Coordinates of all heavy atoms in Angstrom, one line a residue:
M1 N -0.6 2.7 18.6 CA -2.0 2.5 18.9 C -2.1 1.6 20.1 O -1.3 0.7 20.2 CB -2.7 2.0 17.7 CG -2.7 2.9 16.5 SD -3.7 2.3 15.2 CE -4.0 3.8 14.3
D2 N -3.1 1.7 20.8 CA -3.2 1.0 22.1 C -4.1 -0.2 22.0 O -4.5 -0.8 23.0 CB -3.7 1.9 23.2 CG -5.0 2.5 22.9 OD1 -5.6 2.2 21.9 OD2 -5.4 3.4 23.7
G3 N -4.5 -0.6 20.8 CA -5.3 -1.8 20.6 C -6.8 -1.5 20.5 O -7.6 -2.4 20.2
T4 N -7.2 -0.3 20.9 CA -8.6 0.1 20.7 C -9.0 0.3 19.3 O -8.1 0.8 18.5 CB -9.0 1.4 21.6 OG1 -8.1 2.4 21.1 CG2 -8.7 1.1 23.0
P5 N -10.2 0.0 18.9 CA -10.6 0.2 17.5 C -10.4 1.7 17.1 O -10.7 2.6 17.8 CB -12.1 -0.2 17.5 CG -12.3 -1.0 18.7 CD -11.3 -0.5 19.7
Q6 N -9.9 1.9 15.9 CA -9.8 3.2 15.3 C -10.7 3.4 14.1 O -11.0 2.4 13.4 CB -8.3 3.4 14.8 CG -7.3 3.2 15.9 CD -7.3 4.3 17.0 OE1 -7.5 5.5 16.6 NE2 -7.3 4.0 18.2
E7 N -11.1 4.6 13.8 CA -11.9 4.8 12.6 C -11.0 4.7 11.4 O -9.8 5.1 11.4 CB -12.5 6.2 12.7 CG -13.5 6.4 13.7 CD -14.2 7.7 13.6 OE1 -14.3 8.3 12.5 OE2 -14.7 8.2 14.7
I8 N -11.6 4.1 10.4 CA -10.8 3.8 9.2 C -10.4 5.2 8.5 O -9.4 5.2 7.8 CB -11.5 2.9 8.2 CG1 -12.8 3.5 7.8 CG2 -11.6 1.5 8.7 CD1 -13.5 2.7 6.6
T9 N -11.1 6.2 8.8 CA -10.8 7.5 8.2 C -9.5 8.0 8.7 O -8.9 8.9 8.1 CB -11.9 8.5 8.4 OG1 -12.1 8.7 9.9 CG2 -13.2 8.2 7.8
T10 N -9.0 7.5 9.8 CA -7.7 7.9 10.3 C -6.5 7.5 9.4 O -5.4 8.0 9.5 CB -7.4 7.4 11.8 OG1 -7.4 6.0 11.8 CG2 -8.5 8.0 12.7
L11 N -6.8 6.5 8.5 CA -5.8 6.0 7.6 C -5.5 7.0 6.4 O -4.4 7.1 5.9 CB -6.2 4.7 7.0 CG -6.3 3.5 7.9 CD1 -6.8 2.3 7.2 CD2 -4.9 3.2 8.5
V12 N -6.6 7.8 6.1 CA -6.5 8.7 5.0 C -5.5 9.8 5.3 O -5.6 10.4 6.4 CB -7.9 9.3 4.6 CG1 -7.8 10.4 3.6 CG2 -8.8 8.2 4.2
G13 N -4.6 10.1 4.4 CA -3.6 11.2 4.6 C -2.3 10.7 5.2 O -1.3 11.5 5.2
R14 N -2.2 9.5 5.6 CA -1.0 8.9 6.1 C 0.0 8.6 5.0 O -0.5 8.1 3.9 CB -1.2 7.7 7.0 CG -2.0 8.1 8.2 CD -1.9 7.1 9.3 NE -2.8 7.4 10.3 CZ -2.9 6.8 11.5 NH1 -2.1 5.8 11.7 NH2 -3.7 7.2 12.4
E15 N 1.2 8.8 5.2 CA 2.2 8.4 4.2 C 2.5 7.0 4.3 O 2.5 6.3 5.4 CB 3.5 9.2 4.5 CG 3.4 10.7 4.2 CD 4.6 11.5 4.4 OE1 5.5 11.0 5.2 OE2 4.7 12.6 3.9
V16 N 2.8 6.4 3.1 CA 3.1 4.9 3.0 C 4.5 4.8 2.6 O 5.0 5.4 1.7 CB 2.2 4.3 2.0 CG1 2.5 2.8 1.8 CG2 0.7 4.5 2.3
Y17 N 5.2 3.9 3.4 CA 6.6 3.6 3.1 C 6.8 2.1 3.0 O 6.1 1.3 3.6 CB 7.5 4.1 4.3 CG 7.7 5.6 4.3 CD1 6.7 6.4 5.0 CD2 8.7 6.2 3.7 CE1 6.8 7.7 5.0 CE2 8.8 7.6 3.7 CZ 7.9 8.4 4.4 OH 8.0 9.7 4.4
S18 N 7.8 1.7 2.2 CA 8.1 0.2 2.1 C 8.9 -0.1 3.4 O 9.4 0.8 4.1 CB 9.0 -0.1 0.9 OG 10.3 0.4 1.1
N19 N 9.0 -1.4 3.7 CA 9.8 -1.8 4.8 C 11.2 -1.5 4.7 O 12.0 -1.5 5.7 CB 9.6 -3.3 5.1 CG 10.0 -4.2 4.0 OD1 10.2 -3.7 2.9 ND2 10.2 -5.5 4.3
N20 N 11.7 -1.0 3.6 CA 13.1 -0.6 3.4 C 13.2 0.9 3.6 O 14.3 1.5 3.4 CB 13.6 -0.9 2.0 CG 13.6 -2.4 1.8 OD1 13.9 -3.2 2.7 ND2 13.3 -2.9 0.6
G21 N 12.1 1.6 3.9 CA 12.1 3.0 4.2 C 11.9 3.9 3.0 O 12.2 5.1 3.1
V22 N 11.5 3.3 1.9 CA 11.3 4.1 0.6 C 9.9 4.6 0.6 O 8.9 3.9 0.8 CB 11.6 3.2 -0.6 CG1 11.3 4.0 -1.9 CG2 13.0 2.8 -0.6
F23 N 9.7 5.9 0.4 CA 8.4 6.6 0.3 C 7.7 6.0 -0.9 O 8.2 5.9 -2.0 CB 8.5 8.1 0.1 CG 7.2 8.8 -0.1 CD1 6.3 8.9 1.0 CD2 6.9 9.3 -1.3 CE1 5.1 9.6 0.8 CE2 5.7 9.9 -1.5 CZ 4.8 10.1 -0.4
V24 N 6.4 5.5 -0.7 CA 5.6 5.0 -1.8 C 4.5 6.0 -2.2 O 4.3 6.2 -3.4 CB 4.9 3.7 -1.3 CG1 4.0 3.1 -2.4 CG2 6.0 2.6 -0.9
G25 N 3.8 6.6 -1.3 CA 2.8 7.5 -1.6 C 2.0 7.9 -0.4 O 2.4 7.7 0.7
E26 N 0.8 8.4 -0.6 CA -0.1 8.9 0.5 C -1.5 8.3 0.3 O -2.0 8.2 -0.8 CB -0.2 10.4 0.5 CG -0.9 10.9 1.7 CD -0.9 12.5 1.7 OE1 0.2 13.0 1.7 OE2 -2.0 13.0 1.7
V27 N -2.0 7.8 1.4 CA -3.4 7.1 1.4 C -4.4 8.2 1.1 O -4.5 9.2 1.8 CB -3.7 6.4 2.7 CG1 -5.1 5.9 2.7 CG2 -2.7 5.4 3.0
E28 N -5.2 7.9 0.0 CA -6.3 8.8 -0.4 C -7.6 8.3 0.0 O -8.6 9.0 0.1 CB -6.2 9.2 -1.9 CG -5.0 10.0 -2.2 CD -4.9 10.4 -3.7 OE1 -5.7 9.9 -4.5 OE2 -4.0 11.2 -4.0
D29 N -7.7 6.9 0.1 CA -9.0 6.3 0.4 C -8.7 4.8 0.8 O -7.6 4.4 0.7 CB -9.9 6.3 -0.9 CG -11.4 6.2 -0.6 OD1 -11.7 6.0 0.6 OD2 -12.2 6.5 -1.5
V30 N -9.7 4.2 1.3 CA -9.6 2.8 1.6 C -10.6 1.9 0.9 O -11.7 2.4 0.5 CB -9.8 2.5 3.2 CG1 -8.7 3.2 3.9 CG2 -11.1 3.0 3.6
R31 N -10.3 0.7 0.6 CA -11.2 -0.3 -0.1 C -11.7 -1.2 1.0 O -10.9 -1.8 1.8 CB -10.5 -1.0 -1.2 CG -11.4 -1.9 -1.9 CD -10.8 -2.5 -3.1 NE -9.6 -3.3 -2.7 CZ -8.8 -3.9 -3.6 NH1 -9.1 -3.8 -4.9 NH2 -7.8 -4.6 -3.2
L32 N -13.0 -1.4 1.1 CA -13.6 -2.2 2.1 C -14.3 -3.4 1.5 O -14.9 -3.3 0.4 CB -14.6 -1.3 2.9 CG -14.2 -0.1 3.5 CD1 -15.3 0.7 4.1 CD2 -13.2 -0.4 4.6
N33 N -14.4 -4.5 2.3 CA -15.3 -5.6 2.1 C -16.4 -5.5 3.1 O -16.1 -5.8 4.3 CB -14.5 -6.9 2.2 CG -15.4 -8.1 1.9 OD1 -16.6 -8.1 2.2 ND2 -14.8 -9.1 1.4
L34 N -17.5 -5.0 2.7 CA -18.6 -4.8 3.6 C -19.2 -6.1 4.2 O -19.6 -6.1 5.4 CB -19.7 -4.0 3.0 CG -19.3 -2.6 2.5 CD1 -20.4 -1.9 1.8 CD2 -18.8 -1.8 3.7
D35 N -19.1 -7.2 3.5 CA -19.6 -8.5 4.0 C -18.7 -8.9 5.2 O -19.2 -9.4 6.2 CB -19.5 -9.6 3.0 CG -20.6 -9.3 1.9 OD1 -21.6 -8.6 2.1 OD2 -20.3 -9.7 0.7
Q36 N -17.4 -8.7 5.1 CA -16.5 -9.1 6.2 C -16.2 -8.0 7.2 O -15.5 -8.2 8.2 CB -15.2 -9.7 5.6 CG -15.4 -10.9 4.8 CD -14.1 -11.4 4.2 OE1 -13.1 -10.7 4.3 NE2 -14.1 -12.6 3.6
E37 N -16.7 -6.8 6.8 CA -16.4 -5.6 7.6 C -14.9 -5.4 7.9 O -14.4 -5.3 9.0 CB -17.2 -5.6 9.0 CG -18.7 -5.6 8.8 CD -19.4 -5.7 10.1 OE1 -18.8 -5.6 11.2 OE2 -20.6 -5.8 10.1
A38 N -14.2 -5.5 6.7 CA -12.7 -5.4 6.8 C -12.1 -4.5 5.7 O -12.7 -4.4 4.6 CB -12.1 -6.8 6.7
V39 N -11.0 -3.9 6.0 CA -10.3 -3.1 5.0 C -9.5 -4.1 4.1 O -8.8 -5.0 4.6 CB -9.3 -2.1 5.7 CG1 -8.4 -1.4 4.6 CG2 -10.0 -1.1 6.5
T40 N -9.7 -4.0 2.8 CA -9.0 -4.9 1.9 C -7.9 -4.3 1.1 O -7.1 -4.9 0.5 CB -10.0 -5.6 0.9 OG1 -10.6 -4.6 0.2 CG2 -11.0 -6.4 1.7
G41 N -7.9 -2.9 1.1 CA -6.8 -2.3 0.3 C -6.8 -0.8 0.6 O -7.7 -0.2 1.2
L42 N -5.6 -0.2 0.3 CA -5.4 1.2 0.4 C -5.2 1.9 -0.9 O -4.4 1.4 -1.7 CB -4.2 1.5 1.3 CG -4.1 0.9 2.7 CD1 -2.8 1.1 3.3 CD2 -5.2 1.5 3.5
A43 N -6.0 2.9 -1.2 CA -5.9 3.7 -2.4 C -4.8 4.7 -2.2 O -5.0 5.6 -1.3 CB -7.2 4.3 -2.8
V44 N -3.7 4.6 -2.9 CA -2.5 5.4 -2.6 C -2.3 6.3 -3.8 O -2.3 5.9 -5.0 CB -1.3 4.6 -2.4 CG1 0.0 5.4 -2.1 CG2 -1.5 3.6 -1.2
G45 N -2.2 7.6 -3.6 CA -1.9 8.6 -4.6 C -0.7 9.4 -4.2 O 0.1 9.0 -3.3
Q46 N -0.4 10.4 -4.9 CA 0.8 11.2 -4.8 C 2.0 10.3 -4.7 O 2.9 10.3 -3.8 CB 0.7 12.1 -3.5 CG -0.4 13.1 -3.6 CD -0.5 14.0 -2.3 OE1 0.3 14.0 -1.5 NE2 -1.6 14.7 -2.3
L47 N 2.1 9.4 -5.7 CA 3.1 8.4 -5.7 C 4.5 8.9 -5.9 O 4.7 9.9 -6.5 CB 2.8 7.4 -6.8 CG 1.4 6.7 -6.7 CD1 1.1 5.9 -8.0 CD2 1.3 5.8 -5.5
N48 N 5.4 8.1 -5.4 CA 6.9 8.3 -5.7 C 7.1 8.1 -7.2 O 7.0 7.0 -7.7 CB 7.7 7.3 -4.8 CG 9.2 7.4 -5.0 OD1 9.6 7.9 -6.0 ND2 9.9 7.0 -4.0
T49 N 7.4 9.2 -7.9 CA 7.6 9.1 -9.3 C 8.7 8.2 -9.7 O 8.7 7.6 -10.8 CB 7.7 10.5 -9.9 OG1 8.9 11.1 -9.3 CG2 6.5 11.3 -9.7
E50 N 9.7 8.1 -8.9 CA 10.9 7.2 -9.3 C 10.4 5.7 -9.3 O 10.9 4.9 -10.1 CB 12.0 7.4 -8.3 CG 12.7 8.7 -8.5 CD 13.8 8.9 -7.5 OE1 14.3 7.9 -6.9 OE2 14.2 10.0 -7.3
L51 N 9.5 5.3 -8.5 CA 9.0 4.0 -8.4 C 8.0 3.6 -9.5 O 8.0 2.5 -10.0 CB 8.4 3.7 -7.0 CG 9.2 3.7 -5.8 CD1 8.4 3.4 -4.6 CD2 10.3 2.6 -5.9
F52 N 7.1 4.6 -9.8 CA 6.0 4.2 -10.6 C 6.0 4.9 -12.0 O 5.0 4.8 -12.7 CB 4.7 4.6 -9.8 CG 4.5 3.9 -8.6 CD1 4.9 4.4 -7.4 CD2 4.0 2.6 -8.6 CE1 4.7 3.7 -6.2 CE2 3.9 1.8 -7.4 CZ 4.2 2.4 -6.2
A53 N 7.1 5.5 -12.4 CA 7.1 6.3 -13.6 C 6.8 5.4 -14.8 O 6.1 5.8 -15.8 CB 8.5 6.9 -13.8
E54 N 7.2 4.1 -14.8 CA 7.0 3.2 -16.0 C 5.6 2.5 -15.9 O 5.2 2.0 -16.9 CB 8.1 2.2 -16.0 CG 9.5 2.8 -16.3 CD 10.6 1.7 -16.3 OE1 10.2 0.5 -16.3 OE2 11.7 2.1 -16.2
T55 N 5.0 2.5 -14.8 CA 3.8 1.7 -14.6 C 2.5 2.5 -14.4 O 1.4 2.0 -14.7 CB 3.9 0.7 -13.5 OG1 4.2 1.4 -12.3 CG2 5.0 -0.4 -13.7
V56 N 2.6 3.7 -13.9 CA 1.4 4.5 -13.6 C 1.6 5.9 -14.2 O 2.6 6.5 -14.1 CB 1.2 4.6 -12.1 CG1 0.0 5.4 -11.7 CG2 1.1 3.2 -11.4
S57 N 0.5 6.3 -14.9 CA 0.5 7.7 -15.5 C 0.5 8.7 -14.4 O -0.1 8.5 -13.3 CB -0.6 7.9 -16.4 OG -0.6 6.9 -17.4
P58 N 1.0 9.9 -14.6 CA 0.9 11.0 -13.6 C -0.5 11.3 -13.2 O -1.4 11.3 -14.1 CB 1.6 12.2 -14.3 CG 2.5 11.6 -15.4 CD 1.8 10.3 -15.8
G59 N -0.7 11.5 -12.0 CA -2.1 11.8 -11.5 C -2.9 10.6 -11.1 O -4.0 10.7 -10.5
E60 N -2.4 9.4 -11.5 CA -3.1 8.2 -11.2 C -2.6 7.6 -9.8 O -1.6 8.1 -9.3 CB -3.0 7.1 -12.2 CG -3.6 7.5 -13.5 CD -3.5 6.4 -14.6 OE1 -2.7 5.5 -14.4 OE2 -4.3 6.4 -15.6
G61 N -3.3 6.7 -9.3 CA -2.9 6.0 -8.1 C -2.8 4.5 -8.2 O -3.0 4.0 -9.3
I62 N -2.6 3.9 -7.1 CA -2.6 2.4 -7.0 C -3.4 1.9 -5.8 O -3.7 2.7 -4.9 CB -1.1 1.9 -6.9 CG1 -0.5 2.4 -5.6 CG2 -0.3 2.2 -8.2 CD1 0.8 1.7 -5.3
I63 N -3.8 0.7 -5.9 CA -4.4 0.0 -4.7 C -3.4 -1.0 -4.1 O -2.9 -1.8 -4.8 CB -5.7 -0.8 -5.1 CG1 -6.7 0.1 -5.7 CG2 -6.2 -1.5 -3.9 CD1 -7.4 1.1 -4.8
V64 N -3.0 -0.7 -2.9 CA -2.1 -1.6 -2.2 C -3.0 -2.6 -1.4 O -3.8 -2.2 -0.6 CB -1.2 -0.8 -1.2 CG1 -0.3 -1.8 -0.4 CG2 -0.3 0.1 -2.0
P65 N -2.8 -3.9 -1.6 CA -3.6 -4.9 -0.8 C -3.3 -4.7 0.7 O -2.1 -4.6 1.0 CB -3.1 -6.2 -1.3 CG -2.5 -6.0 -2.7 CD -1.9 -4.6 -2.6
Y66 N -4.3 -4.7 1.5 CA -4.1 -4.5 2.9 C -3.2 -5.6 3.5 O -2.6 -5.4 4.5 CB -5.4 -4.4 3.6 CG -5.2 -3.7 5.0 CD1 -5.0 -2.3 5.1 CD2 -5.3 -4.4 6.2 CE1 -4.8 -1.7 6.3 CE2 -5.1 -3.8 7.4 CZ -4.8 -2.4 7.4 OH -4.6 -1.8 8.6
R67 N -3.2 -6.8 2.9 CA -2.3 -7.9 3.5 C -0.9 -7.5 3.4 O 0.0 -8.1 4.1 CB -2.6 -9.2 2.8 CG -2.2 -9.2 1.3 CD -2.5 -10.6 0.7 NE -2.2 -10.6 -0.7 CZ -2.9 -10.2 -1.7 NH1 -4.1 -9.7 -1.5 NH2 -2.5 -10.2 -3.0
W68 N -0.5 -6.5 2.6 CA 0.9 -6.1 2.5 C 1.3 -5.2 3.7 O 2.4 -4.9 3.9 CB 1.2 -5.3 1.2 CG 1.2 -6.2 0.0 CD1 0.9 -7.5 -0.1 CD2 1.5 -5.7 -1.3 NE1 1.0 -7.9 -1.4 CE2 1.4 -6.8 -2.2 CE3 1.9 -4.5 -1.8 CZ2 1.7 -6.7 -3.5 CZ3 2.2 -4.4 -3.2 CH2 2.1 -5.5 -4.0
V69 N 0.3 -4.6 4.4 CA 0.5 -3.7 5.5 C 1.2 -4.4 6.7 O 0.7 -5.4 7.2 CB -0.8 -3.0 6.0 CG1 -0.5 -2.2 7.2 CG2 -1.3 -2.2 4.8
R70 N 2.3 -3.9 7.1 CA 3.1 -4.5 8.2 C 2.8 -3.7 9.5 O 2.7 -4.4 10.6 CB 4.6 -4.4 8.0 CG 5.1 -5.3 6.9 CD 6.6 -5.2 6.8 NE 7.1 -5.7 8.0 CZ 8.3 -6.3 8.1 NH1 9.0 -6.4 7.1 NH2 8.8 -6.7 9.3
A71 N 2.6 -2.4 9.4 CA 2.4 -1.6 10.6 C 1.7 -0.3 10.3 O 1.9 0.2 9.2 CB 3.7 -1.3 11.3
V72 N 0.8 0.1 11.2 CA 0.1 1.4 11.1 C 0.4 2.2 12.3 O 0.2 1.8 13.4 CB -1.4 1.2 10.9 CG1 -2.1 2.5 10.9 CG2 -1.7 0.4 9.7
G73 N 1.0 3.4 12.1 CA 1.3 4.3 13.2 C 1.2 5.7 12.6 O 0.2 6.0 11.9
D74 N 2.2 6.5 12.8 CA 2.2 7.9 12.2 C 2.3 7.7 10.7 O 1.9 8.6 10.0 CB 3.4 8.7 12.8 CG 3.2 9.0 14.2 OD1 2.0 9.1 14.7 OD2 4.2 9.3 14.9
V75 N 3.0 6.6 10.3 CA 3.0 6.3 8.8 C 2.6 4.8 8.7 O 2.5 4.1 9.7 CB 4.5 6.5 8.3 CG1 4.9 7.9 8.4 CG2 5.5 5.6 8.9
I76 N 2.4 4.4 7.5 CA 2.0 3.0 7.2 C 3.2 2.3 6.5 O 3.7 2.8 5.5 CB 0.8 3.0 6.3 CG1 -0.4 3.6 7.1 CG2 0.5 1.5 5.9 CD1 -1.6 3.8 6.2
L77 N 3.6 1.2 7.1 CA 4.7 0.4 6.5 C 4.1 -0.8 5.8 O 3.2 -1.5 6.3 CB 5.7 -0.1 7.6 CG 6.5 0.9 8.3 CD1 7.3 0.3 9.4 CD2 7.3 1.8 7.4
I78 N 4.6 -1.0 4.5 CA 4.1 -2.1 3.7 C 5.3 -3.0 3.3 O 6.4 -2.6 3.3 CB 3.3 -1.7 2.5 CG1 4.2 -0.9 1.6 CG2 2.1 -1.0 2.9 CD1 3.5 -0.5 0.3
N79 N 5.0 -4.3 3.0 CA 6.0 -5.2 2.6 C 6.5 -5.0 1.3 O 5.8 -4.6 0.3 CB 5.4 -6.7 2.7 CG 5.3 -7.2 4.0 OD1 6.0 -6.9 4.9 ND2 4.3 -8.0 4.2
D80 N 7.8 -5.1 1.1 CA 8.6 -5.2 -0.2 C 7.9 -4.8 -1.4 O 8.0 -5.5 -2.4 CB 9.1 -6.6 -0.3 CG 8.0 -7.7 -0.4 OD1 6.9 -7.4 -0.7 OD2 8.4 -8.9 -0.2
V81 N 7.3 -3.6 -1.5 CA 6.7 -3.1 -2.7 C 7.7 -2.9 -3.8 O 7.4 -3.2 -5.0 CB 5.8 -1.9 -2.4 CG1 6.7 -0.7 -2.1 CG2 5.0 -1.5 -3.7
I82 N 8.9 -2.5 -3.4 CA 9.9 -2.3 -4.4 C 10.3 -3.6 -5.2 O 10.3 -3.6 -6.4 CB 11.2 -1.7 -3.8 CG1 10.9 -0.5 -2.9 CG2 12.3 -1.4 -4.8 CD1 10.1 0.6 -3.5
E83 N 10.5 -4.7 -4.4 CA 10.8 -5.9 -5.0 C 9.7 -6.4 -5.9 O 9.9 -7.0 -7.0 CB 11.2 -7.0 -4.0 CG 12.5 -6.7 -3.2 CD 12.3 -5.6 -2.1 OE1 11.2 -5.2 -1.8 OE2 13.4 -5.2 -1.6
R84 N 8.5 -6.2 -5.5 CA 7.3 -6.7 -6.3 C 7.2 -5.9 -7.6 O 6.8 -6.5 -8.6 CB 6.0 -6.6 -5.5 CG 5.9 -7.5 -4.4 CD 4.7 -7.3 -3.5 NE 4.7 -8.0 -2.3 CZ 4.1 -9.2 -2.1 NH1 3.4 -9.7 -3.1 NH2 4.2 -9.8 -1.0
L85 N 7.5 -4.6 -7.6 CA 7.5 -3.8 -8.8 C 8.6 -4.1 -9.8 O 8.4 -4.2 -11.0 CB 7.5 -2.3 -8.5 CG 6.3 -1.8 -7.8 CD1 6.5 -0.3 -7.4 CD2 5.1 -1.8 -8.8
K86 N 9.8 -4.4 -9.3 CA 10.9 -4.6 -10.1 C 10.9 -5.9 -10.8 O 11.5 -6.1 -11.8 CB 12.2 -4.4 -9.3 CG 12.4 -3.1 -8.6 CD 13.0 -2.1 -9.5 CE 13.3 -0.8 -8.8 NZ 13.5 0.3 -9.6
Q87 N 10.3 -6.9 -10.2 CA 10.4 -8.3 -10.7 C 9.0 -8.9 -10.8 O 8.7 -10.0 -10.2 CB 11.2 -9.2 -9.8 CG 12.6 -8.6 -9.6 CD 13.3 -9.3 -8.4 OE1 12.8 -10.0 -7.7 NE2 14.6 -9.0 -8.3
P88 N 8.0 -8.3 -11.6 CA 6.7 -8.8 -11.6 C 6.6 -10.2 -12.2 O 5.8 -11.1 -11.8 CB 5.9 -7.8 -12.5 CG 7.0 -7.1 -13.3 CD 8.2 -7.2 -12.4
E89 N 7.4 -10.5 -13.2 CA 7.3 -11.9 -13.9 C 7.8 -13.0 -12.9 O 7.3 -14.0 -12.9 CB 8.2 -11.9 -15.2 CG 9.6 -11.6 -15.1 CD 9.9 -10.1 -15.0 OE1 9.1 -9.3 -15.5 OE2 11.0 -9.7 -14.6
E90 N 8.7 -12.7 -12.0 CA 9.2 -13.7 -11.1 C 8.1 -13.9 -10.0 O 7.8 -15.0 -9.6 CB 10.4 -13.2 -10.3 CG 11.7 -13.3 -11.2 CD 12.9 -12.8 -10.5 OE1 12.9 -12.9 -9.3 OE2 13.9 -12.5 -11.2
T91 N 7.3 -12.9 -9.6 CA 6.2 -13.0 -8.7 C 5.1 -13.9 -9.3 O 4.6 -14.7 -8.7 CB 5.7 -11.6 -8.3 OG1 6.7 -10.8 -7.8 CG2 4.6 -11.7 -7.3
E92 N 4.8 -13.6 -10.6 CA 3.8 -14.4 -11.2 C 4.2 -15.9 -11.4 O 3.4 -16.7 -11.1 CB 3.5 -13.8 -12.6 CG 2.8 -12.5 -12.6 CD 2.6 -11.8 -13.9 OE1 2.9 -12.5 -14.9 OE2 2.3 -10.7 -14.0
E93 N 5.4 -16.1 -11.7 CA 5.9 -17.5 -11.8 C 5.8 -18.2 -10.4 O 5.5 -19.4 -10.3 CB 7.3 -17.6 -12.3 CG 7.4 -17.2 -13.7 CD 8.9 -17.1 -14.2 OE1 9.8 -17.5 -13.4 OE2 9.1 -16.6 -15.3
A94 N 6.1 -17.5 -9.3 CA 6.0 -18.1 -8.0 C 4.6 -18.5 -7.6 O 4.4 -19.4 -6.9 CB 6.6 -17.1 -7.0
V95 N 3.6 -17.7 -8.1 CA 2.2 -17.9 -7.8 C 1.7 -19.1 -8.5 O 0.9 -19.9 -8.0 CB 1.4 -16.7 -8.1 CG1 -0.1 -17.0 -7.9 CG2 1.8 -15.5 -7.2
V96 N 2.1 -19.3 -9.8 CA 1.7 -20.4 -10.6 C 2.2 -21.7 -10.1 O 2.1 -22.5 -9.5 CB 2.1 -20.2 -12.1 CG1 1.7 -21.4 -12.9 CG2 1.6 -19.0 -12.6

């Protein structure tokens, strides 16, 4: 992208990968904060069943916080989703 504003609808349909190159899912919708006029999350569906089999029922999706997004191009790269899923109790302890 050349720095010009893009329509948020261009995010829909893009594949989402972790920064380690693991397929996460596909963007189905975006979550917006209308007061700040900003994207706050990506609604991701068609999830990688190996990643989400224990946490998400088939046919359901997840919301990825937009702060996890590292890059948007032909695909969307997000930060360490694999590590966050595998070790949720450690993440919670680090926040407290």
